[in-house]
Amino acid sequence: MSYVFNPPAVTSLPVVGRGERFPIHRIYCVGRNYEDHAKEMGFTGREPPFFFMKPADAAVPVDADSTAQIAYPTLTQNLHHEIELVVAIGKAGKNIKAADALQYIYGYAVGLDMTRRDLQNEMKKQGRPWCIGKAFEQSAPIGAITPADQACDIVNAEISLQVNGADHQRSHINKLIWNIAETIEHLSAAWELQPGDLIMTGTPEGVAAVVKGDVLEGAVTGLSPIKVHIA
């Protein structure tokens, strides 16, 4: 088969302990999935889950023991960090029940949902999609995937983010409003999940602006941490 131009390279993530890489199909993101973060954004309660997406090539692979460089994006004066647990899907499934959801998970990683908050807020006011605030280039730095059978007690893991060495976000995965299995159930009712899909499960409270020169260090207990420099 020939193409009118060379197709882009597959975006992929390293896998802990393996030479093969994990090819990314789609990136799904869960909005407002920690209660305290929902409150800091002006919302309360256990609302039904909702989702938005980032393109696969928004991902920036972050190798262990290295610092990824991402550019401060255009059009914004208010770039925010959002640390998240990322769930990597390993097999296809639709209308998956929460009780069966864990068997579809290949592994877990640490990720950042970088957000042009000023642009997102303007779109909210106008009732328009958030894509310009969420789905831009280099908006999803993600670390190496730890296979599920090698991960620790992920449900009770701590999640944290430091900026220039100072704590900005710190919580636990068990504070998710919609837990991992419930999220997969809801998500797979709307889309047929495929191997290579990533689910960014939401961010805890403490989101804030970053500027050029800042260094972000994100972690989830038992997973490969990430380090990102804003250039």
Side-chain angles (χ1 to χ4, degrees):
M1 181 181 294
S2 61
Y3 300 95
V4 296
F5 54 84
N6 291 329
V10 174
T11 305
S12 64
L13 298 174
V15 178
V16 173
R18 301 194 61 170
E20 302 95 338
R21 295 179 68 89
F22 184 91
I24 300 173
H25 179 241
R26 294 174 178 166
I27 303 175
Y28 298 98
C29 305
V30 188
R32 298 197 295 264
N33 204 22
Y34 285 81
E35 183 177 356
D36 287 342
H37 172 60
K39 289 178 178 177
E40 75 179 354
M41 301 304 290
F43 299 86
T44 60
R46 183 180 166 92
E47 61 185 321
F50 69 95
F51 307 97
F52 58 93
M53 296 177 71
K54 293 175 183 278
D57 63 1
V60 178
V62 185
D63 293 319
D65 302 319
S66 67
T67 301
Q69 305 287 327
I70 66 171
Y72 193 96
T74 59
L75 301 181
T76 185
Q77 301 297 318
N78 195 20
L79 177 67
H80 276 208
H81 60 69
E82 298 189 6
I83 189 67
E84 311 211 2
L85 171 69
V86 180
V87 176
I89 298 298
K91 66 176 183 176
K94 190 173 184 179
N95 294 317
I96 301 166
K97 298 301 182 186
D100 301 321
L102 297 187
Q103 65 183 280
Y104 290 82
I105 297 173
Y106 175 82
Y108 304 96
V110 181
L112 280 165
D113 170 14
M114 302 304 295
T115 301
R116 295 193 280 204
R117 189 73 71 199
D118 44 1
L119 301 186
Q120 182 197 29
N121 289 341
E122 184 59 32
M123 293 303 102
K124 286 180 180 180
K125 290 177 185 177
Q126 297 182 36
R128 294 177 177 176
W130 298 359
C131 299
I132 197 169
K134 288 285 192 177
F136 54 93
E137 293 90 344
Q138 299 186 327
S139 61
I142 301 173
I145 296 172
T146 298
D149 61 1
Q150 298 175 30
C152 64
D153 180 12
I154 203 71
V155 173
N156 294 305
E158 184 178 63
I159 182 170
S160 64
L161 179 78
Q162 290 79 45
V163 179
N164 302 327
D167 259 16
H168 275 217
Q169 294 184 267
R170 188 171 294 275
S171 188
H172 288 83
I173 303 302
N174 59 21
K175 292 187 177 181
L176 285 167
I177 295 173
W178 297 94
N179 66 34
I180 295 166
E182 291 170 331
T183 295
I184 290 174
E185 179 175 308
H186 282 279
L187 190 61
S188 68
W191 292 274
E192 182 172 1
L193 297 181
Q194 299 293 331
D197 286 343
L198 300 176
I199 304 171
M200 303 189 77
T201 56
T203 195
E205 69 278 10
V207 301
V210 293
V211 298
K212 289 183 179 181
D214 282 348
V215 175
L216 286 61
E217 297 179 83
V220 173
T221 305
L223 303 183
S224 182
I226 61 173
K227 188 173 184 180
V228 176
H229 174 253
I230 310 294

